[in-house]
Amino acid sequence: MSHAPTGVMERPSPASPSPKTSLGSRSLPRFAPLGFAAVATVLGIGLSLAAGWESRIQWGLISALFFLAISYVATTVVENQRQARDRLATSVMWVCFLLAVVPLASLLWTTIVRGAERLDGYFLTHSMAGVLGSEASGGVYHALIGTLEQVGIATVISAPLGLLTAVYLVEYGKGSLARAVTFFVDVMTGIPSIVAGLFILSIMLIANLEPSGLMGALALTILMIPVVVRSTEEMLKLVPNELREASLALGIPKWRTILKVVLPTAIGGITTGVMLAIARIAGETAPIILLVFGSQLINANPFDGAQSSLPFYIYEQYKIGEAASYDRAWAAALVLIAFVMILNLVARSIARWKAPKTGR
């Protein structure tokens, strides 16, 4: 067994540089973006006031430009140009996010403030029968009934048709028929609501039919079906093929696989898509004006006689031009927003209830 010579000393290996020495560099603190935003806001408002600009939109845009410039320059000086480009891209995304959210938040806040002044139990339980436009009384009950019935009829018709069409396109659709269906769904997605109203109006004139809530619901159905088809189709495509293959390998028929495996897996996204479609049609006014005509009275029968709806009620009250009618219009707008929000909450609850349970 050989041993190393006792007189030879091993040369120590050079110590590896510490992580702090090799990777350490100057960096901005985490709160730096907040400081940049504060400085940019002060500079933007100061420059706007010095220039005599009174628009707050101009203040915000100039402050956003100052924020981007300060973030890029400060990061370049303190860190490096690569980090500066990364921070600039992040800052641009934040600015775009605020530009999209601020108008929506402002609209929602204005609607809540203006609508809450008139919204009460009396407003929700009374109609405009016998009420003049300048009077402070009257309510939205007849319009709320019309919206619930018209949107409900459109949903009952559109949801099954859209779901079955999406199942056909994803699970069975091949060849020219599937391509034609996809093409027409894409075309219908972008048609204006007035076109759908004119189409139903032409049928009414040919068949000599009277205006009713059903006619408005049919126009809303045309607008709702392509949204349901497209959203449901995308959700079905997200279901892994392994689930289908495992079910088919057990000898289960394809129709039962779709019913028991594919649809329950995608039920959350399908429900959300249907709710988005309902929100899409709940605010339509043009088809209602053409086909329903509006009414000041309570009409709970959507198959006979003119009806009203929340969008038509808002348009009608705004057209009157009185202070009391403006208050009713804002309150009705708040009711419409609350209606859509409640539908979304119900959709999320159903999606969680019907979602497949995950095992450990």
Side-chain angles (χ1 to χ4, degrees):
M1 185 174 183
S2 59
H3 299 276
T6 57
V8 179
M9 298 181 63
E10 295 183 0
R11 186 176 181 181
S13 60
S16 59
S18 61
K20 184 175 182 180
T21 303
S22 60
L23 300 178
S25 60
R26 293 185 302 173
S27 61
L28 292 170
R30 292 185 176 181
F31 58 84
L34 296 178
F36 297 157
V39 174
T41 302
V42 172
L43 292 177
I45 296 177
L47 179 61
S48 300
L49 293 177
W53 298 332
E54 299 180 356
S55 174
R56 295 183 180 180
I57 298 178
Q58 292 177 332
W59 298 0
L61 293 177
I62 294 175
S63 300
L65 293 177
F66 272 120
F67 173 71
L68 296 177
I70 293 173
S71 298
Y72 182 79
V73 173
T75 308
T76 302
V77 173
V78 176
E79 298 180 0
N80 53 61
Q81 193 172 9
R82 183 177 66 85
Q83 294 293 338
R85 289 194 295 267
D86 178 77
R87 189 178 293 275
L88 177 62
T90 304
S91 301
V92 169
M93 287 189 291
W94 274 106
V95 170
C96 293
F97 170 76
L98 291 176
L99 289 177
V101 169
V102 168
L104 296 177
S106 175
L107 175 62
L108 181 61
W109 175 254
T110 303
T111 305
I112 292 175
V113 172
R114 295 291 301 273
E117 297 177 358
R118 184 65 180 81
L119 184 61
D120 52 18
Y122 175 86
F123 183 75
L124 295 175
T125 56
H126 287 75
S127 67
M128 292 295 296
V131 179
L132 299 178
S134 58
E135 296 180 1
S137 57
V140 76
Y141 180 75
H142 62 298
L144 183 60
I145 292 297
T147 294
L148 291 175
E149 292 181 346
Q150 295 159 25
V151 172
I153 293 174
T155 304
V156 169
I157 299 174
S158 303
L161 290 178
L163 177 61
L164 294 175
T165 303
V167 169
Y168 165 75
L169 292 176
V170 176
E171 304 294 337
Y172 299 98
K174 293 180 181 178
S176 58
L177 179 58
R179 289 193 297 269
V181 172
T182 302
F183 172 76
F184 282 111
V185 168
D186 293 337
V187 171
M188 290 176 62
T189 303
I191 63 172
S193 60
I194 190 66
V195 175
L198 290 173
F199 174 72
I200 300 299
L201 180 62
S202 63
I203 296 177
M204 289 175 56
L205 295 176
I206 293 173
N208 196 21
L209 299 176
E210 296 294 330
S212 64
L214 177 62
M215 298 296 105
L218 293 178
L220 298 180
T221 300
I222 297 175
L223 301 174
M224 185 175 177
I225 286 178
V227 180
V228 176
V229 172
R230 183 59 62 216
S231 60
T232 304
E233 184 181 0
E234 295 302 322
M235 291 300 104
L236 294 178
K237 289 180 179 178
L238 294 178
V239 177
N241 285 328
E242 288 78 5
L243 295 178
R244 299 180 176 89
E245 294 171 356
S247 178
L248 295 174
L250 295 175
I252 300 176
K254 188 171 184 178
W255 69 268
R256 194 171 183 84
T257 298
I258 296 172
L259 188 62
K260 295 295 185 180
V261 177
V262 178
L263 292 180
T265 304
I267 190 62
I270 294 173
T271 306
T272 303
V274 173
M275 292 300 106
L276 290 176
I278 293 176
R280 159 81 167 84
I281 66 172
E284 292 293 344
T285 309
I288 304 302
I289 295 176
L290 288 175
L291 307 172
V292 183
F293 278 18
S295 175
Q296 305 294 328
L297 305 176
I298 298 174
N299 181 12
N301 185 5
F303 304 100
D304 182 24
Q307 271 191 326
S308 185
S309 69
L310 288 173
F312 182 83
Y313 180 86
I314 297 169
Y315 163 76
E316 188 179 41
Q317 295 301 315
Y318 176 79
K319 188 174 63 174
I320 294 175
E322 299 288 342
S325 65
Y326 287 153
D327 293 338
R328 286 192 292 265
W330 281 110
L334 182 57
V335 172
L336 183 59
I337 292 176
F339 172 72
V340 176
M341 292 181 64
I342 291 173
L343 287 178
N344 279 275
L345 293 176
V346 172
R348 291 179 179 272
S349 301
I350 295 175
R352 291 183 179 181
W353 176 41
K354 290 295 185 179
K357 303 299 185 293
T358 56
R360 293 187 177 183

